[in-house]
Amino acid sequence: MHVVVTGALVDNGAVLLVHRSPTRRAYPDLWDLPGGHVEAGESELQALAREMHEELGVRIVAESASRLGVLHAGSGEDALHVGVWQIGDWVGSPTNRAPDEHDDIAWVEISELGGLPLVHDDLAALVRSLPELGRLPRRDEARTVASPSGPEVHRCSSLHSRA
């Protein structure tokens, strides 16, 4: 079984997706959440932090991550277990740092996910199930704040507004 972790960076009703290169052996030419394999000795959250930095150049704020669910595909040796996480806060601006793996990255409105060729059929429904989705700020209300140490920290404050 292959254990994989993916992360949903959500901002103003849009989620960041990566387009898997047409030359990839597994799931070529499809859109997916960024992420990758969990290595021996790593937790899903540790793997998520490593993959987000390797692929996008962002550092996630671990306390802001919450598990959305699990997707399964295949069987036997080809079985795939995908832990899907929502990431509320991160440091840096996402850029494609893995061009051999992904030929594009894009912010996609969550309402438009159903029209894209996605790696997992259930991915759109899982992202749409975010309980905070209705409280996300409009695009013109987005805020990025500078941290005292210098880099910008992306915060989507409505993700942490549960009473």
Side-chain angles (χ1 to χ4, degrees), residues 20-163:
R20 295 177 61 86
S21 207
T23 58
R24 296 292 306 266
R25 187 177 69 81
Y27 304 104
D29 205 26
L30 297 172
W31 288 94
D32 197 4
L33 293 172
H37 289 272
V38 177
E39 295 178 358
E42 277 185 321
S43 69
E44 281 193 12
L45 190 54
Q46 289 168 330
L48 182 64
R50 178 183 49 76
E51 289 287 347
M52 291 293 129
H53 186 257
E54 289 175 1
E55 293 188 6
L56 302 174
V58 298
R59 298 221 181 257
I60 67 170
V61 177
E63 298 80 24
S64 77
S66 60
R67 193 159 189 206
L68 289 176
V70 177
L71 300 172
H72 296 280
S75 61
E77 288 182 16
D78 293 329
L80 187 64
H81 169 99
V82 182
V84 181
W85 290 71
Q86 175 188 6
I87 302 165
D89 297 339
W90 62 90
V91 177
S93 296
T95 57
N96 186 3
R97 293 182 55 183
D100 293 342
E101 296 180 29
H102 311 116
D103 59 4
D104 197 7
I105 66 171
W107 289 100
V108 177
E109 296 293 323
I110 292 172
S111 61
E112 297 173 4
L113 287 175
L116 290 176
L118 299 171
V119 168
H120 303 285
D121 293 336
D122 297 334
L123 186 59
L126 190 58
V127 172
R128 278 193 217 106
S129 74
L130 289 168
E132 298 86 359
L133 196 55
R135 294 180 290 191
L136 290 172
R138 292 189 325 263
R139 193 166 296 283
D140 60 346
E141 294 173 342
R143 56 189 193 113
T144 304
V145 296
S147 76
S149 60
E152 290 189 348
V153 178
H154 173 277
R155 296 190 194 282
C156 194
S157 59
S158 61
L159 296 177
H160 306 291
S161 62
R162 293 185 195 175

